[in-house]
């Protein structure tokens, strides 16, 4: 087995400056974070503190003003399919079916693959998220939860180096959210992608993460503290909730926020 | 508001309104507008044109739908030209702020110019009446397509563009796989409005140039003092325009995609 790369994703003194009416503001300042290969890290913090800003800089969708981001030994410049992104809104293309939404990306990363091979990858990915029967439905015909499943399948089907999730379940009702958290856990357990997820749901962060990064309030937001989440995997929601360690960690998080 | 429903109201209400308008028309032609032909007289004079709508008895004496067909062919030419020029222009306007700042004032000035003003310029440019008419239709009807396409491009959600950016789409892929499909519903609204204008312009163009068609027929019958046929032409123009609009609405609704960005 390959040895795990310790410094797989490295954010070094990342700073993001936006112009405001009162002059330039460092929304995020000197943000340092190192993530191990195969690790699941959550980013938690108050609304507006700059979580999405950090995530979109890692995604390459927005430039950083100072510092550096290195993924698997390479500095990030611009977006690319080596980073699968799941946004808060599913951002599926409404004129394409679920399958076409997924193959659109697979075709970009597997240019040499035949049409049927591309379809196969997409179908497998959609089946894993439980949409094997809805391949030909358009986003308009799917529920919010199902759309977000497609978005998860689309990101995983790219077989990316890194998964970036920005409050992926923020728009869902709590039952659907729990369902999708399980879908995400199952997907992640199947190939242990390195993942960085933004959330403001404490339970969600505890259930999914190896580590939780707490961000200070902006402006000039940065890492306020990091919690190691020691629970063995696979984790079960019910047993976790009974664990006194769970309440203790949850207390720590809530006190910080 | 009072909106009572009863059986067959969709048929009965328009019929009642029609009868009311017919009465007003009869009354007018009998009293203050002596030269306005009565409904009955109009029907008598129009019968051969309506009952044999595709007949061709002579160059100036053809069934009313045959004339309408000539007009439609001419409209089709000008309208195609309008779409061919309007879509790329709209895309450019939507994609480039610099281009918009440069050309928007010119467009706003040209847009309200009447077809009656463009036609003489077309005649000078092309020397012949048919290309002049096509030119006029194209330049008058392309604006809704231009503006709606531009609005559509600007309204493409950033989320969709980010999908393309993450996948490192080329400019061409961005256009063909994201921008165009996302803009299509807006473009079809533009297409429908443009077609409406094209059909409006045709009558004016035919009148001034003498190109055969409903508009040309209308003008010729005015000059021959057969006023019944003017009314026949007006009704034909209205009906054809209505049918065109319905058809475009049908196509438009087929291309409407739900906006899931929120
Ligand atoms: N394009 C922008 N221009 C200026 N300020 C911005 C821009 N995007 C975000 N901000 C500001 O940066 C801060 C962090 O935003 P964001 O990263 O979206 O927060 P979070 O995701 O933690 O809720 C907010 O105060 C927001 O107003
Ligand atoms: Mg956010």
């Amino acid at each position: 087995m390959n040895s795990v790369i310790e410094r797989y994703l490295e954010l070094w003194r990342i700073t993001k400056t936006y112009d405001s009416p009162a002059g330039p503001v460092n929304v995020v300042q000197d943000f340092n974070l190192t993530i191990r290969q195969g690790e699941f890290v959550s980013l938690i913090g108050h609304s507006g503190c700059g979580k999405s800003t950090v995530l979109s800089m890692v995604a390459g969708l927005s430039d950083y003003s100072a510092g550096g981001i290195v993924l698997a030994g390479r500095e990030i410049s611009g977006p690319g399919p080596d980073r699968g992104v799941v946004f808060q809104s599913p951002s599926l293309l409404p004129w394409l079916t679920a399958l076409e939404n997924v193959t659109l990306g697979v075709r970009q990363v597997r240019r040499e693959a035949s049409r049927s091979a591309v379809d196969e990858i997409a179908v497998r990915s959609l089946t894993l998220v439980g949409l094997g029967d809805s391949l030909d439905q358009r986003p308009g015909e799917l529920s919010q939860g199902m759309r977000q499943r497609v978005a998860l399948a689309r990101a995983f089907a790219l077989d990316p180096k890194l998964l970036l999730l920005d409050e992926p379940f923020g728009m869902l009702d709590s039952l659907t959210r729990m369902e999708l958290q399980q879908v995400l856990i199952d997907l992640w357990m199947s190939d242990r992608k390195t993942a960085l997820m933004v959330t403001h749901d404490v339970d969600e962060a505890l259930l999914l993460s190896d580590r939780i990064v707490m961000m200070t309030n902006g402006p000039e937001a940065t890492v306020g503290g990091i919690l190691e989440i020691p629970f063995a995997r696979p984790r079960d929601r019910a047993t976790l909730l009974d664990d006194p360690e769970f309440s203790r960690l949850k207390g720590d998080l809530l006190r910080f926020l | 508001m009072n909106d009572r429903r009863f059986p067959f109201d969709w048929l009965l209400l328009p019929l009642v309104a029609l009868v009311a308008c017919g009465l007003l028309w009869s009354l007018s032609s009998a009293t203050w507008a002596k030269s306005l032909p009565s409904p009955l007289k109009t029907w008598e004079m129009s019968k051969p044109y309506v009952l044999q709508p595709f007949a061709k008895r002579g160059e100036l004496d053809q069934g009313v739908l045959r004339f309408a067909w000539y007009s439609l062919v001419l409209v089709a030419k000008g309208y195609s030209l309008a779409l061919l020029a309007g879509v790329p222009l709209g895309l450019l306007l939507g994609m480039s702020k610099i281009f918009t700042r440069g050309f928007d004032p010119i467009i706003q000035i040209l847009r309200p110019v009447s077809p009656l003003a463009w036609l003489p310029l077309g005649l000078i440019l092309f020397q012949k009446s048919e290309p002049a008419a096509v030119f006029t239709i194209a330049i008058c009807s392309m604006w809704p397509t231009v503006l709606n396409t531009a609005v559509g491009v600007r309204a493409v959600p950033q989320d969709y563009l980010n999908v393309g950016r993450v996948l490192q789409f080329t400019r061409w892929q961005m256009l063909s796989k994201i921008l165009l499909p996302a803009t299509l519903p807006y473009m079809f609204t533009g297409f429908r409005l443009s077609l409406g204008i094209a059909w409006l312009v045709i009558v004016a163009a035919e009148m001034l140039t003498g190109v055969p068609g409903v508009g040309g027929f209308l003008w010729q019958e005015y000059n021959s003092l057969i006023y019944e046929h003017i009314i026949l032409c007006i009704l034909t123009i209205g009906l054809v325009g209505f049918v065109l609009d319905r058809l475009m609405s049908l196509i438009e609704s087929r291309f409407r995609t739900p906006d899931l960005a929120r």
Side-chain angles (χ1 to χ4, degrees):
Chain A
M1 202 178 140
N2 292 338
S3 63
V4 166
I5 304 172
E6 277 300 320
R7 309 179 83 79
Y8 192 63
L9 173 69
E10 201 166 359
L11 284 76
W12 182 76
R13 301 193 64 177
I14 289 297
T15 298
K16 177 74 183 186
T17 313
Y18 279 125
D19 287 324
S20 79
V25 176
N26 289 348
V27 172
V28 176
Q29 186 166 320
D30 289 330
F31 189 98
N32 292 304
L33 182 65
T34 304
I35 296 182
R36 203 168 58 240
Q37 186 173 24
E39 196 177 17
F40 196 113
V41 175
S42 291
L43 201 56
I44 204 163
H46 277 285
S47 175
C49 75
K51 306 180 295 292
S52 298
T53 305
V54 170
L55 203 83
S56 73
M57 286 188 288
V58 179
L61 291 169
S62 106
D63 298 326
Y64 36 91
S65 314
I69 301 178
V70 176
L71 172 64
R74 277 207 176 154
E75 170 138 28
I76 280 172
S77 69
D82 58 338
R83 280 150 287 153
V85 189
V86 181
F87 304 97
Q88 183 168 7
S89 67
S91 64
L92 303 175
L93 304 180
W95 54 90
L96 299 181
T97 63
L99 183 65
E100 288 164 344
N101 264 290
V102 179
T103 52
L104 188 73
V106 177
R107 203 169 294 134
Q108 280 295 102
V109 292
R110 302 285 299 269
R111 285 167 202 260
E112 77 297 341
S114 67
R115 204 192 153 82
S116 63
V118 167
D119 279 355
E120 203 183 305
I121 294 171
V123 169
R124 194 187 316 134
S125 179
L126 281 163
T127 310
L128 276 176
V129 299
L131 288 182
D133 295 329
S134 312
L135 300 176
D136 295 325
Q137 272 169 318
R138 282 172 216 279
E141 302 161 307
L142 300 173
S143 68
Q144 279 278 358
M146 289 163 96
R147 287 181 207 158
Q148 204 55 293
R149 284 173 195 250
V150 179
L152 285 174
R154 177 172 67 178
F156 270 89
L158 296 174
D159 191 22
K161 290 182 186 143
L162 186 64
L163 266 179
L164 296 168
L165 308 118
D166 191 351
E167 300 191 28
F169 312 133
M171 279 167 61
L172 307 177
D173 62 85
S174 57
L175 280 178
T176 315
R177 188 181 312 166
M178 288 202 273
E179 263 174 45
L180 270 132
Q181 286 164 354
Q182 197 55 50
V183 169
L184 177 55
I185 292 178
D186 294 344
L187 273 175
W188 183 79
M189 290 295 278
S190 68
D191 64 354
R192 298 266 178 163
K193 290 261 168 271
T194 314
L196 180 60
M197 178 177 78
V198 167
T199 180
H200 54 220
D201 180 337
V202 172
D203 289 343
E204 179 173 287
L206 284 167
L207 178 65
L208 289 164
S209 323
D210 296 314
R211 277 192 299 157
I212 299 178
V213 176
M214 298 173 284
M215 269 181 89
T216 60
N217 286 344
E220 302 182 1
T222 187
V223 176
I226 297 183
L227 275 188
E228 293 277 347
I229 310 303
F231 307 118
R233 294 186 193 264
R235 292 172 184 170
D236 175 58
R237 189 188 302 271
T239 25
L240 222 56
L241 286 171
D242 289 335
D243 195 327
E245 180 73 1
F246 183 87
S247 327
R248 195 185 62 74
L249 289 166
K250 188 166 174 178
D252 284 353
L253 278 171
L254 290 174
R255 249 189 309 284
F256 178 83
L257 297 172
Chain B
M1 288 292 272
N2 179 6
D3 187 18
R4 219 150 40 84
R5 297 293 162 107
F6 49 88
F8 297 106
D9 54 354
W10 56 270
L11 182 65
L12 288 177
L13 289 176
L15 270 180
V16 169
L18 195 67
V19 169
C21 287
L23 278 176
L24 194 69
W25 175 8
S26 304
L27 222 68
S28 299
S29 70
T31 54
W32 63 274
K34 292 284 185 208
S35 41
L36 180 71
S38 71
L40 203 69
K41 187 108 185 299
T42 305
W43 169 243
E44 302 245 294
M45 293 290 288
S46 305
K47 234 154 119 189
Y49 296 88
V50 178
L51 295 183
Q52 292 162 287
F54 291 104
K56 182 168 181 174
R57 291 173 286 265
E59 205 50 51
L60 305 175
D61 185 13
Q62 309 187 27
V64 74
L65 286 186
R66 200 180 181 94
F67 275 130
W69 175 248
Y70 295 151
S71 299
L72 278 171
V73 170
L74 203 59
V75 160
K77 288 181 191 164
Y79 180 62
S80 315
L81 211 63
L83 300 198
L84 241 49
V87 170
L89 190 57
L91 289 176
L92 277 174
L93 281 170
M95 287 191 287
S96 161
K97 287 214 171 67
I98 298 205
F99 192 85
T100 302
R101 284 212 301 269
F103 281 89
D104 196 55
I106 301 177
I107 289 174
Q108 299 304 337
I109 288 170
L110 293 184
R111 203 161 59 98
V113 174
S114 150
L116 300 176
W118 285 114
L119 198 66
L121 187 66
L123 285 169
I124 297 167
L125 284 173
F126 302 104
Q127 305 292 329
K128 280 211 281 281
S129 45
E130 198 189 303
V134 171
F135 163 80
T136 307
I137 292 167
I139 205 153
C140 289
S141 69
M142 75 180 197
W143 306 117
T145 295
V146 171
L147 296 179
N148 275 280
T149 305
V151 168
V153 171
R154 290 189 202 114
V156 176
Q158 186 62 41
D159 278 355
Y160 297 174
L161 300 176
N162 281 346
V163 169
R165 289 177 66 201
V166 166
L167 297 177
Q168 289 177 338
F169 276 170
T170 59
R171 274 178 160 273
W172 171 244
Q173 282 177 308
M174 211 66 163
L175 188 70
S176 65
K177 296 198 183 228
I178 297 194
L179 228 44
L180 277 181
T183 312
L184 222 50
Y186 288 83
M187 292 204 308
F188 270 94
T189 303
F191 292 173
R192 181 170 55 80
L193 297 174
S194 283
L195 186 58
I197 295 186
W199 186 243
L200 263 179
V201 169
I202 184 74
V203 178
E206 284 176 355
M207 277 184 176
L208 289 181
T209 58
V211 176
V214 242
F217 182 55
L218 191 155
W219 195 244
Q220 164 211 316
E221 297 304 90
Y222 166 69
N223 287 325
S224 332
L225 309 180
I226 310 177
Y227 299 153
E228 290 82 2
H229 290 169
I230 297 180
I231 294 170
L232 171 67
C233 286
I234 289 175
L235 292 178
T236 310
I237 291 164
L239 274 172
V240 172
F242 173 73
V243 170
L244 286 180
D245 192 69
R246 284 290 103 164
L247 284 176
M248 280 308 283
S249 294
L250 272 180
I251 300 174
E252 194 185 345
S253 62
R254 273 199 39 75
F255 281 92
R256 197 168 295 138
T257 47
D259 184 6
L260 306 173
R262 265 153 288 128

